[in-house]
């Protein structure tokens, strides 16, 4: 065992080392934006880390056990604008804790159990606009030391223990306050004097939701003006609600919000009398939300709201709108998720804005009379529409905004006659019928925005967008085109700046499609099936900035025209295509490398072809490989051409060459004739017209010994044959035919029987077989049969190729003066030769 002092000797430096490493040098916070934004959330910090640069503007220190804030805790960070100290277990905040934070605009102290707040805790903070003191165990507004924060706009004190609504004197200093949230406290009574510090200059939105209010003194809000008052989930029952609302008498409020919260509470037997008190309040906008137990009969319910200009009813169990008062002055009505059974037959001449959305109870549109309607949102109802759309449907000619998205089938029956003022039109995710059968949008010359995405439209008709001369945005993703070809449907859209054609199964772009789109800045053609795109198509798009061609099957762009790509382009997305990285697309691939600053994720572009480049980055394509390949190909091609030309020439002039080079002995020597021809007189025609013609008149020419021409008259045939034929000729050509066997050969045999000896040993005998021979017949001529069997022979074929081969072989055989085997090695192609067996 080591002695203790030696153990200490090793431990102490190690601990010193650890001490150096752990607190100071290791980085506790995440750098979100360098020098600006740091996230130190939940790092178990006991003190504010010193490693954060002094230039930090946004600092998140939430969920750290800081426990208390000493004076000048944040002086190293004078630039701070946003400081989040949520749930830092802070119990004590000393004077001047935020000293020096002159630019701090947002301070969040949520969830700290503050027990000891020094009177000067918030001193300084010259620019503070938003203070969040939610859930800080605050029991009273009195003595909360914020009276000097004149710049404060938003004060959120929700979720505390405050039980008195009396706004202390210091609120009179907070003249910029716009939003005060006291929700979820313990306020039960509101008295007349509580709000007296607020005077006319205030433009305050006040949220008192989730306080158990049961009494409001009727003078409390008299002659008060508020921007907004929210009272949700405040009243235990309709009676309390009724008296409390009466207590609001004399209030002038721009927007009043009543109701409950989703899944929060269930207010039973909500009664129309609850809202009686609203008659003595001056309200401009009214909103009611989340009431499950809404009365079936709503007559009388809205009587005190006839002069309101905007009504918003959200998540009410409303069922129907039967029994609305007649003389409503509403200009805006929102009915959202109200479980209404039928599309309400509204007659509301004052209405300008109507939102009827997400009401899944109704199933088809009904004509309504809203003469002054400008804004109509009927989205997300799953309803069908028999014949859309014209002035008659809503009796308005002022409509500018129409949203029919996320519905069921909408059948286009009319082209928006009387609705010429429309500027915005949205049909997305509804099923459009007959939209591509006539020029549906013909009268909409003021339309700026059109969305027909995912409407199951098959574009077949060229005039589908006729008349849309002002259109700026066209979204038509998720549809289809006839023949999967983008045809010239955009001719009128000269002001278009945004075009979405993604997910349209497109394969081709026909010529001149984009020629009228000179204002286009954004074009999305992603998720289609393009294989080859022509850069020339994009040439007219002088202002194009963003082009998205990702998720296609593009192998390449047409190479030559790449310089026609609009020079205005700033973003080109070509990811997820099937690039062909072979040399034939070399110019395109080089272009990609040159334009990489335009390309989204240039590094991720992958080759699909050829196989040896698969999954490799397009940027790794090397031009030089193509150079080498090109040279190799060029050399190969040239050599092949040269060799074949030479071969042709040699083939053609073989015999001339033989003559010139003298490489084969071609001399007649003492022979007068090149060949003596033995044939039947029946084959005379063939010999004269074919044999003589070809051999004596061709190049090189051969001299033949023919009995009819060359035999000396008067001499015996046998003698002639022997003298003139055999002795004066280098070779003997025997023309074998049926006739020859039958007649001539017998005579021959008879006449020169004695010369057989000579004949069979004679080397230069060439057999030409004119016709197929009957074997049995041939066998009778034992000697000839033997000869033919021993020697290969030439067979006459009366067709172009056959003749050609025949003459070449015959000439070759004739030139071969030396070969002891005679015709045995005529040509190397033995397959062409036949052997009789
Ligand atoms: C951050 O601040 C330091 C010191 O002021 C400076 O050297 C550095 O360049 C800054 N970094 C950035 C990204 O601004
Ligand atoms: C909140 O404050 C009360 C006194 O006002 C105190 O008794 C209680 O312990 C505090 N709660 C917390 C969580 O600090
Ligand atoms: C209101 O502001 C003035 C000037 O800043 C200050 O003197 C006064 O004490 C503030 N009032 C309260 C109640 O804090
Ligand atoms: C009143 O406050 C609201 C925000 O609550 C703001 O939009 C509006 O401009 C303010 N009005 C005036 C007159 O200051
Ligand atoms: C309601 O308040 C507005 C705005 O202050 C005012 O013009 C209007 O006359 C008031 N209406 C009533 C009925 O007091
Ligand atoms: C609505 O305004 C008219 C006059 O503009 C007035 O006579 C009527 O009492 C008002 N109704 C309500 C409920 O405020
Ligand atoms: C097209 O846009 C230009 C400029 O924004 C505008 O002057 C012109 O009136 C528009 N054309 C049509 C037909 O709306
Ligand atoms: C193009 O459309 C696709 C799918 O419709 C979408 O994911 C993509 O973000 C769009 N491109 C751009 C540049 O907005
Ligand atoms: C293509 O890149 C752009 C720019 O980064 C991006 O907005 C767009 O969503 C991308 N397209 C797709 C289909 O992801
Ligand atoms: C290419 O990548 C895909 C998906 O990343 C993979 O499935 C495939 O096997 C790869 N092919 C080659 C040749 O590496």
């Amino acid at each position: 065992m080591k002695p203790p002092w030696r153990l200490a000797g090793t431990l102490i430096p190690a601990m010193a080392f650890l001490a150096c490493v752990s607190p100071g040098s290791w980085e506790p916070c995440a750098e979100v934006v360098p020098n600006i934004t740091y996230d130190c959330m939940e790092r178990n910090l006991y003190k504010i880390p010193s490693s954060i640069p002094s230039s930090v503007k946004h600092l998140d220190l939430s969920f750290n056990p800081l426990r208390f804030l000493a004076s000048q805790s944040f002086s190293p960070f004078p630039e701070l604008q946003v400081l989040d100290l949520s749930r830092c277990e802070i119990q004590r905040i000393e004077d001047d804790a935020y000293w020096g934070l002159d630019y701090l605009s947002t301070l969040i102290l949520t969830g700290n159990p503050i027990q000891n707040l020094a009177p000067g805790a918030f001193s300084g903070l010259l620019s503070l606009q938003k203070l969040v003191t939610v859930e800080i165990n605050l029991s009273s507004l009195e003595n909360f030391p914020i009276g000097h924060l004149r710049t404060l706009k938003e004060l959120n004190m929700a979720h505390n223990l405050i039980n008195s609504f009396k706004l202390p004197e210091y609120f009179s200093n907070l003249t910029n306050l716009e939003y005060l949230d006291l929700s979820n406290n313990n306020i039960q009574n509101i008295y007349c004097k509580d709000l007296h510090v607020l005077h006319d200059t205030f433009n305050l939105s006040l949220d008192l939701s989730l306080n158990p209010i049961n009494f409001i003194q009727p003078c409390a809000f008299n002659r008060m003006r508020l921007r907004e008052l929210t009272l949700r989930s405040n009243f235990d029952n309709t009676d309390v609600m009724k008296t409390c609302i009466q207590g609001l008498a004399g209030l002038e409020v721009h927007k009043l919000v009543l109701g409950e919260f989703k899944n929060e509470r269930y207010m039973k037997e909500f009664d129309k009398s609850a809202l009686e008190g609203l008659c003595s309040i001056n309200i401009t906008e009214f909103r009611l939300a989340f009431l499950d137990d809404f009365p079936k009969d709503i007559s009388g319910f809205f009587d005190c709201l006839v002069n309101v200009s905007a009504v918003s009813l959200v998540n009410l169990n409303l069922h129907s709108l039967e029994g609305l008062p007649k003389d409503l002055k509403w200009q805006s009505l929102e009915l959202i998720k109200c479980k209404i059974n039928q599309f309400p037959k509204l007659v509301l001449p004052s209405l300008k804005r109507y939102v009827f959305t997400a009401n899944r109870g109704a199933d088809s549109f009904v004509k309504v009379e809203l003469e002054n309607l400008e804004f109509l949102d009927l989205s997300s109802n799953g309803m069908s529409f028999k014949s859309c759309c014209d002035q008659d449907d809503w009796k308005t000619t002022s409509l500018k905004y129409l949203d029919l998205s996320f519905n069921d089938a909408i059948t286009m029956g009319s082209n928006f006659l009387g609705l010429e003022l429309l500027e915005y039109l949205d049909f997305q995710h509804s099923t459009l019928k007959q939209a591509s059968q006539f020029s549906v949008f013909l009268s909409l010359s003021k339309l700026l925005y059109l969305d027909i995405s995912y409407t199951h439209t098959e574009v077949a008709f060229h005039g589908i967008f006729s008349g849309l001369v002002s259109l700026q945005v066209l979204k038509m993703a998720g549809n289809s085109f006839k023949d999967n070809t983008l045809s010239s449907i955009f001719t009128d859209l000269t002001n278009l700046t945004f075009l979405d054609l993604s997910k349209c199964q497109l394969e081709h772009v026909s010529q001149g499609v984009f020629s009228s789109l000179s204002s286009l800045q954004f074009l999305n053609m992603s998720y289609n099936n393009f294989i080859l795109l022509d850069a020339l198509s994009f040439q007219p798009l002088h202002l194009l900035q963003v082009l998205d061609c990702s998720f296609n099957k593009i192998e390449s762009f047409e190479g030559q025209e790449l310089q026609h790509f609009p020079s205005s382009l700033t973003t080109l997305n070509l990811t997820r295509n099937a690039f062909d990285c072979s040399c034939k697309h070399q110019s395109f691939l080089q272009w990609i490398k040159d334009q990489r600053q335009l390309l989204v994720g240039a590094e991720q572009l992958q080759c699909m072809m050829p196989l040896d480049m698969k999954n490799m980055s397009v940027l790794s394509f090397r031009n030089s490989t193509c150079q080498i390949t090109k040279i190799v190909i060029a050399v190969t091609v040239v050599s092949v051409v040269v060799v074949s030309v030479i071969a042709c020439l040699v083939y053609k002039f073989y015999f001339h060459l033989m003559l010139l080079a003298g490489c084969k002995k071609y001399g007649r020597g003492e022979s007068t004739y090149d060949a003596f021809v033995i044939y039947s007189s029946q084959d005379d025609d063939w010999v004269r017209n074919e044999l003589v013609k070809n051999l004596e008149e061709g190049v090189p020419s051969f001299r033949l010994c023919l009995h009819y021409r060359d035999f000396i008259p008067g001499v015996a045939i046998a003698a002639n044959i022997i003298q003139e034929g055999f002795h004066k000729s280098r070779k003997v050509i025997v023309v074998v035919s049926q006739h020859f066997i039958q007649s001539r050969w017998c005579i021959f045999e008879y006449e020169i029987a004695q010369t057989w000896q000579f004949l069979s040993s004679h080397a230069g005998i060439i057999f030409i077989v004119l016709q197929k021979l009957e074997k049995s017949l041939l066998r009778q001529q034992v000697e000839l049969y033997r000869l033919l069997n021993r020697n290969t022979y030439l067979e006459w074929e009366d067709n172009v190729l056959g003749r050609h081969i025949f003459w070449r072989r015959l000439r070759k055989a004739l030139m071969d003066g030396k070969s002891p085997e005679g015709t045995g090695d005529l040509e190397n192609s033995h397959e062409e030769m036949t052997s009789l067996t």
Side-chain angles (χ1 to χ4, degrees):
M1 234 189 98
K2 285 179 185 174
W5 57 269
R6 287 194 55 187
L7 192 66
T10 47
L11 273 180
I12 289 168
M15 284 167 75
F17 172 75
L18 282 174
C20 276
V21 168
S22 45
S25 51
W26 110 168
E27 188 52 69
C29 300
E31 190 176 65
V32 181
V33 179
N35 289 358
I36 305 289
T37 306
Y38 287 84
D39 177 3
C40 313
M41 182 178 164
E42 217 174 352
R43 306 280 161 135
N44 207 25
L45 300 172
Y46 290 89
K47 64 189 189 76
I48 297 150
S50 52
S51 55
I52 293 172
S54 59
S55 54
V56 62
K57 291 185 175 157
H58 296 245
L59 181 58
D60 183 352
L61 285 166
S62 58
F63 294 91
N64 286 296
L66 296 179
R67 305 273 155 74
F68 78 102
L69 294 179
S71 179
Q72 307 195 8
S73 289
F74 299 94
S75 54
F77 315 115
E79 312 269 321
L80 266 185
Q81 292 175 1
V82 177
L83 177 59
D84 190 344
L85 293 167
S86 300
R87 302 198 193 274
C88 286
E89 300 173 27
I90 298 168
Q91 298 183 358
R92 180 159 54 92
I93 302 181
E94 294 182 354
D95 280 331
D96 297 322
Y98 305 102
W99 185 88
L101 300 185
D102 291 350
Y103 303 106
L104 195 72
S105 68
T106 300
L107 175 60
I108 302 172
L109 285 168
T110 299
N112 287 294
I114 298 172
Q115 287 169 356
N116 192 339
L117 192 62
F122 296 112
S123 66
L125 298 176
L126 299 180
S127 312
L128 198 68
Q129 295 191 356
K130 179 172 175 176
L131 177 60
V132 181
T133 54
V134 170
E135 220 185 320
I136 62 163
N137 207 14
L138 196 66
S139 55
S140 161
L141 291 171
E142 293 291 337
N143 305 325
F144 196 57
I146 55 167
H148 59 290
L149 299 176
R150 290 171 175 277
T151 50
L152 206 62
K153 282 188 169 172
E154 186 177 332
L155 177 58
N156 190 339
M157 304 175 102
H159 234 282
N160 279 299
L161 309 167
I162 300 165
N163 51 30
S164 165
F165 184 47
K166 169 129 187 66
L167 298 185
E169 271 311 308
Y170 65 80
F171 268 88
S172 62
N173 271 3
L174 309 179
T175 47
N176 285 306
L177 199 64
E178 287 176 356
Y179 180 74
L180 174 61
D181 190 344
L182 286 168
S183 62
N184 221 334
N185 275 286
N186 198 23
I187 299 167
Q188 297 178 5
N189 303 307
I190 297 177
Y191 300 107
C192 288
K193 292 272 155 62
D194 285 357
L195 284 166
H196 87 278
V197 295
L198 298 179
H199 38 71
D200 255 9
T201 54
F202 273 79
N203 172 28
L204 189 67
S205 296
L206 186 59
D207 192 344
L208 291 171
S209 304
L210 295 163
N211 281 290
I213 299 175
N214 47 41
F215 175 68
I216 298 179
Q217 210 173 0
C219 53
F221 287 90
N222 196 17
R223 304 236 212 110
M224 288 289 318
R225 274 174 71 182
L226 288 174
R227 171 89 198 160
E228 198 171 316
L229 176 61
T230 306
L231 293 168
R232 292 173 72 175
S233 258
N234 288 108
F235 314 111
D236 271 348
N237 55 54
T238 313
D239 286 341
V240 176
M241 185 169 185
K242 181 179 170 181
T243 51
C244 285
I245 286 178
Q246 278 165 347
L248 298 174
L251 175 67
E252 184 188 318
V253 62
H254 182 78
K255 183 171 182 180
L256 178 65
V257 182
L258 298 177
E260 298 290 314
F261 286 98
K262 189 178 186 181
N263 303 331
E264 188 74 20
R265 253 181 13 168
Y266 184 83
M267 195 171 176
K268 267 184 254 157
E269 290 163 26
F270 185 73
D271 186 280
K272 61 183 165 201
S273 68
L275 301 184
E276 273 173 15
L278 294 180
C279 281
S280 45
I281 311 176
N282 184 343
I283 308 167
T284 312
E285 291 180 18
F286 177 77
R287 184 176 171 92
L288 190 62
F290 289 102
L291 286 175
D292 293 315
D293 206 359
F294 208 79
K296 281 247 153 49
D297 177 15
I298 60 158
S299 54
F301 197 90
F302 294 103
D303 283 356
C304 287
L305 293 165
V306 292
N307 291 342
V308 167
S309 72
V311 171
S312 173
L313 306 172
V314 182
N315 271 294
L316 305 182
N317 231 336
L318 203 53
H319 303 297
S320 100
L321 280 188
E322 298 285 321
L324 276 185
K326 283 278 171 291
D327 46 354
L328 290 174
K329 305 229 168 50
W330 299 352
Q331 294 183 6
S332 167
L333 172 60
E334 288 180 4
L335 291 164
I336 301 170
K337 297 192 182 171
C338 281
K339 304 197 173 84
I340 292 176
N341 294 335
Q342 270 184 343
F343 188 63
K345 286 184 189 146
L346 278 186
V347 181
L348 250 179
S350 59
L351 208 61
K352 291 184 174 161
R353 185 174 177 275
Y354 184 24
V355 177
F356 181 87
T357 66
N359 294 299
R360 292 273 161 180
D363 61 4
S364 70
F365 294 104
V366 174
K367 291 188 184 191
V368 287
E369 293 188 23
L370 306 167
E371 285 120 70
N372 289 302
L373 202 64
E374 292 173 8
F375 182 108
L376 179 57
D377 181 354
L378 297 173
S379 60
S380 305
N381 294 308
M383 292 199 284
S384 61
F385 202 144
K386 283 276 156 48
S387 177
C388 172
C389 305
D390 63 23
Q391 178 195 349
D392 219 30
D393 296 324
W394 306 290
K395 287 285 185 295
T396 175
T397 53
S398 318
L399 206 62
K400 288 185 173 167
Y401 180 108
L402 176 58
D403 186 348
L404 288 166
S405 60
F406 297 93
N407 276 296
D408 202 42
I410 297 177
T411 308
M412 304 308 295
S414 156
N415 49 12
F416 297 93
L417 277 179
L419 299 174
E420 288 83 3
L421 297 182
L422 264 180
E423 292 175 0
Y424 181 104
L425 188 52
D426 190 348
F427 284 111
Q428 63 169 303
H429 294 273
S430 296
T431 302
L432 277 190
K433 296 196 168 159
Q434 300 176 16
S436 186
Q437 293 185 3
F438 60 107
S439 296
V440 212
F441 309 109
L442 195 62
S443 44
L444 300 182
S445 62
K446 292 201 165 64
L447 199 71
L448 303 174
Y449 182 104
L450 175 62
D451 191 343
I452 57 165
S453 313
Y454 306 97
T455 51
H456 302 103
T457 302
E458 199 209 47
V459 180
F461 172 53
H462 284 206
I464 178 169
F465 298 126
S466 292
L468 294 172
V469 290
S470 303
L471 200 68
Q472 291 172 358
V473 177
L474 175 56
K475 299 185 179 177
M476 50 187 309
N479 289 301
S480 62
F481 285 80
K482 185 165 180 273
D483 301 329
N484 295 330
T485 301
L486 185 60
S487 48
S488 298
I489 50 174
F490 304 123
T491 33
D492 280 356
L493 312 186
T494 48
N495 268 11
L496 203 68
T497 57
F498 183 107
L499 177 57
D500 186 354
L501 290 167
S502 59
K503 303 192 178 173
C504 283
Q505 303 155 43
L506 283 167
E507 289 168 9
H508 311 284
V509 176
S510 32
Q511 278 217 315
V513 166
F514 300 129
S515 57
S516 52
L517 301 181
S518 52
S519 310
L520 201 68
Q521 294 169 12
F522 178 102
L523 176 56
N524 193 344
M525 313 216 296
S526 63
Y527 294 98
N528 280 297
N529 297 325
F530 292 115
I531 292 176
L532 203 62
L533 277 178
D534 189 350
L536 211 54
S537 331
F538 302 102
Q539 189 182 18
L541 307 176
H542 306 297
L543 299 177
L544 193 68
Q545 289 171 10
V546 178
L547 176 59
D548 192 344
C549 290
S550 55
F551 293 88
N552 276 286
K553 297 171 180 164
I554 299 172
E555 291 174 2
S556 172
F557 276 74
E558 302 274 16
Q560 267 59 47
E561 292 91 17
L562 287 165
Q563 73 273 17
H564 297 309
F565 252 106
S567 54
S568 50
L569 212 60
T570 58
T571 308
L572 175 59
N573 195 342
L574 288 175
T575 50
R576 302 297 201 94
N577 277 293
F579 292 112
D580 182 354
C581 299
S582 52
C583 289
K584 71 177 163 184
H585 300 305
Q586 188 183 359
S587 54
F588 169 67
L589 296 166
Q590 185 57 43
W591 183 84
I592 286 213
K593 289 167 79 175
D594 296 344
Q595 305 293 322
R596 57 194 298 177
Q597 82 288 349
L598 287 185
L599 289 164
V600 177
E603 291 74 26
Q604 276 103 298
L605 298 184
Q606 285 187 345
C607 302
M608 205 64 147
M609 284 167 292
L611 273 183
D612 59 321
M613 292 282 284
K614 192 164 179 179
N615 287 7
M616 281 170 64
S617 165
V618 172
L619 298 179
S620 69
F621 175 81
R622 294 272 166 273
N623 262 345
S624 45
T625 34
C626 289
Q627 239 77 50
I628 292 169
T629 323
K630 261 188 188 162
I631 290 170
V632 168
I633 291 173
V635 167
T636 317
V637 166
V638 167
S639 358
V640 166
V641 166
V642 167
V643 167
S644 7
V645 165
I646 291 176
C648 280
L649 288 174
V650 167
Y651 187 72
K652 181 149 190 200
F653 297 105
Y654 179 76
F655 301 105
H656 301 70
L657 285 173
M658 290 298 105
L659 280 177
L660 281 177
C663 58
K664 294 229 171 169
K665 277 193 205 131
Y666 175 63
R668 288 180 186 133
E670 53 275 28
S671 309
T672 321
Y673 303 104
D674 291 304
F676 167 50
V677 186
I678 301 170
Y679 63 100
S680 151
S681 60
Q682 304 258 18
D683 299 322
D684 211 36
D685 265 0
W686 184 83
V687 171
R688 284 170 197 243
N689 294 331
E690 296 284 349
L691 194 71
V692 175
K693 240 195 188 130
N694 270 292
L695 293 182
E696 295 202 336
E697 290 164 26
V699 177
S701 74
F702 298 96
R703 263 207 85 195
L704 302 179
C705 173
L706 298 164
H707 66 86
Y708 68 86
R709 191 179 66 186
D710 301 314
F711 277 12
I712 300 158
V715 181
I717 284 190
N720 251 335
I721 287 175
I722 290 162
Q723 280 170 19
E724 290 298 310
F726 289 123
H727 288 162
K728 290 195 177 168
S729 303
R730 281 192 307 114
K731 305 250 172 178
V732 176
I733 294 175
V734 184
V735 181
V736 185
S737 71
Q738 214 81 349
H739 309 121
F740 181 83
I741 296 170
Q742 278 167 351
S743 60
R744 186 71 188 138
W745 186 259
C746 305
I747 300 163
F748 177 74
E749 195 175 35
Y750 163 77
E751 283 189 273
I752 55 162
Q754 66 268 47
T755 61
W756 268 117
Q757 203 65 31
F758 160 77
L759 197 60
S760 51
S761 65
H762 195 280
I765 189 159
I766 300 168
F767 291 99
I768 294 172
V769 176
L770 271 192
Q771 304 128 358
K772 276 254 177 285
L773 299 171
E774 259 182 60
K775 275 194 186 169
S776 54
L777 199 62
L778 191 56
R779 277 204 196 95
Q780 293 169 8
Q781 309 298 333
V782 181
E783 204 52 39
L784 180 60
Y785 182 70
R786 244 186 40 221
L787 277 171
L788 275 178
N789 242 354
R790 245 199 3 242
N791 296 291
T792 43
Y793 53 91
L794 292 170
E795 215 167 350
W796 170 248
E797 265 184 84
D798 202 1
N799 60 51
V800 178
L801 184 66
R803 279 161 173 264
H804 180 80
I805 293 172
F806 175 86
W807 291 121
R808 282 193 72 82
R809 291 176 65 187
L810 183 55
R811 278 161 187 282
K812 200 163 176 218
L814 281 174
M815 283 184 74
D816 185 9
K818 295 202 304 181
S819 169
E821 293 302 322
T823 56
D825 63 348
L826 272 182
E827 288 235 321
N828 40 12
S829 50
H830 273 266
E831 309 88 83
E832 292 176 20
M833 302 200 177
T834 333
S835 192
L836 285 170
T837 41

